[in-house]
Amino acid sequence: MKATAAAIDPVIWNDWYVVARSVDVPIGAVGRSRLLDTGIVLWRSADGAVQAWRDRCPHRSVQLSKGRVAGDRLVCPYHGLAFDPTGRCVLVPAHPGYTPPPQSHAETYAVQERYGLVYVCLGVPGQEIVDFPEWHEPGYRGLIAGPYTIHTSGPRAIENFLDVTHLPILHADILGSPQRPEIADYEVQVTPTGIEARNLRIWQPDPYGTGSGSEVVYDYRVERPLTAHLRKPNPSGANLALLYHVTPVSETECVGWMAMALNFGQEIPDAELIAFQDRIVQQDLDNLESHNPPQLPLNPAVEFHLPGDRTSLAYRKWLRQLGVQYGVMA
């Protein structure tokens, strides 16, 4: 297999990324995705286990995603070769009794399911999937928004998620107000595990659904280059948390997935909460896709910075320290 640009970047290559919702890969189904310039076939065998392989039959290189599931086997659409869940070729219809050689083995990837999502690592996972504690907390309700296809680099998408100063402008009268756009000083630091930004305060017109505006607080945590956590605490104890995963399709295209957990608003239908998130992302898309270059510049001299950009600057500094190369500019 020819190495992709991502394979040269071990930080990105050896991480976990979302490729589907679990419900979209039912037993007997075959799906497909794309991650780090690599086509992936997803399928779930009769025992309920989900598999993630390179979307290529090792015989004549056709897409296995065009095939079918037969019990605990994935069957190629071209010559009917059947592969077991380990990727081993176990049947060649044209030659009964034939023992396929080692190179007949399909290329398989590490796969896990968590938070209702399917995660894949193309390399060797160096860490566990990022923890989302609110998903498991009593009284919290979890749901998934996305996928959102974005024609920019993954780091650009994460930086946008971390950027509070655009909320009063791009998300006017929803997440902020042009009449009160001020962002006070806040705390941010690069820690041994990533980035932490705390006590980001912003005025929002109706943050708690009461019909009146008030100041809110955002706390951010970034533990992986393309995953960020946001917690929006409410003095009343009604809290919202988001885990934002960005899946890099290529250096200039990504897919966003949003896991949400909240301990209030039980009367609000899931569809309404997801539609709100969809609306916010749609407002971001044109802006995100207008970045030139789409890669995130890590050299601080390429773009100038405002005091409110402290989280962005810390994120870029951290990516430099990690040695990230994919989706960025040195």
Side-chain angles (χ1 to χ4, degrees):
M1 173 183 173
K2 182 180 178 181
T4 68
I8 302 170
D9 184 339
V11 176
I12 298 298
W13 189 252
N14 296 319
D15 208 347
W16 293 99
Y17 302 100
V18 177
V19 294
R21 297 184 302 170
S22 291
V23 295
D24 293 332
V25 191
I27 290 176
V30 181
R32 63 192 304 260
S33 184
R34 192 161 183 83
L35 168 63
L36 295 168
D37 303 290
T38 303
I40 298 173
V41 56
L42 301 167
W43 64 285
R44 195 182 295 273
S45 55
D47 64 0
V50 65
Q51 310 294 333
W53 301 354
R54 186 182 177 197
D55 194 7
R56 171 187 175 271
C57 177
H59 174 226
R60 285 295 179 265
S61 301
V62 300
Q63 292 179 339
L64 287 171
S65 58
K66 296 183 181 295
R68 60 184 176 86
V69 175
D72 66 346
R73 298 176 177 181
L74 181 62
V75 180
C76 176
Y78 196 6
H79 297 96
L81 275 63
F83 302 84
D84 71 12
T86 71
R88 184 171 63 95
C89 183
V90 295
L91 176 66
V92 180
H95 304 289
Y98 172 74
T99 301
Q103 59 264 39
S104 68
H105 201 290
E107 187 173 347
T108 65
Y109 302 123
V111 59
Q112 291 191 54
E113 293 184 83
R114 198 169 299 179
Y115 317 128
L117 298 166
V118 179
Y119 292 78
V120 170
C121 176
L122 299 186
V124 179
Q127 303 177 74
E128 283 296 317
I129 293 167
V130 170
D131 187 31
F132 188 22
E134 293 86 357
W135 188 270
H136 309 291
E137 286 186 16
Y140 276 75
R141 161 191 180 193
L143 56 157
I144 303 297
Y148 305 113
T149 298
I150 310 170
H151 294 283
T152 194
S153 69
R156 285 282 196 190
I158 288 291
E159 185 177 76
N160 177 76
F161 181 73
L162 301 174
D163 186 316
V164 295
T165 60
H166 83 283
L167 301 185
I169 309 304
L170 199 59
H171 306 297
D173 302 321
I174 304 174
L175 298 182
S177 170
Q179 283 71 48
R180 301 184 66 172
E182 299 82 9
I183 303 297
D185 196 16
Y186 59 90
E187 307 163 21
V188 61
Q189 60 180 330
V190 178
T191 73
T193 58
I195 303 294
E196 289 186 5
R198 299 188 178 278
N199 203 33
L200 284 81
R201 297 181 176 275
I202 183 171
W203 193 89
Q204 294 184 338
D206 187 14
Y208 305 118
T210 62
S212 60
S214 66
E215 187 179 65
V216 301
V217 174
Y218 283 5
D219 293 328
Y220 288 101
R221 186 178 72 250
V222 185
E223 297 179 70
R224 302 293 168 77
L226 296 178
T227 299
H229 176 276
L230 165 65
R231 187 175 179 91
K232 182 181 178 182
N234 183 332
S236 70
N239 301 316
L240 168 69
L242 305 176
L243 183 66
Y244 187 43
H245 287 296
V246 171
T247 299
V249 176
S250 71
E251 290 208 72
T252 57
E253 181 182 347
C254 61
V255 177
W257 300 85
M258 190 77 73
M260 299 183 280
L262 60 159
N263 64 354
F264 63 94
Q266 298 299 325
E267 74 285 358
I268 306 174
D270 287 1
E272 186 174 330
L273 293 168
I274 292 171
F276 177 83
Q277 191 60 50
D278 291 347
R279 181 183 178 190
I280 297 302
V281 173
Q282 286 300 319
Q283 290 180 333
D284 277 320
L285 281 182
D286 282 347
N287 182 67
L288 276 169
E289 296 180 353
S290 72
H291 281 297
N292 182 20
Q295 293 89 351
L296 186 70
L298 301 188
N299 182 342
V302 173
E303 298 174 340
F304 91 98
H305 313 282
L306 302 172
D309 295 329
R310 294 179 63 193
T311 307
S312 297
L313 284 169
Y315 175 61
R316 295 183 184 199
K317 177 181 178 181
W318 181 58
L319 293 182
R320 287 198 306 273
Q321 291 175 346
L322 291 177
V324 169
Q325 303 172 51
Y326 193 82
V328 302
M329 294 174 54

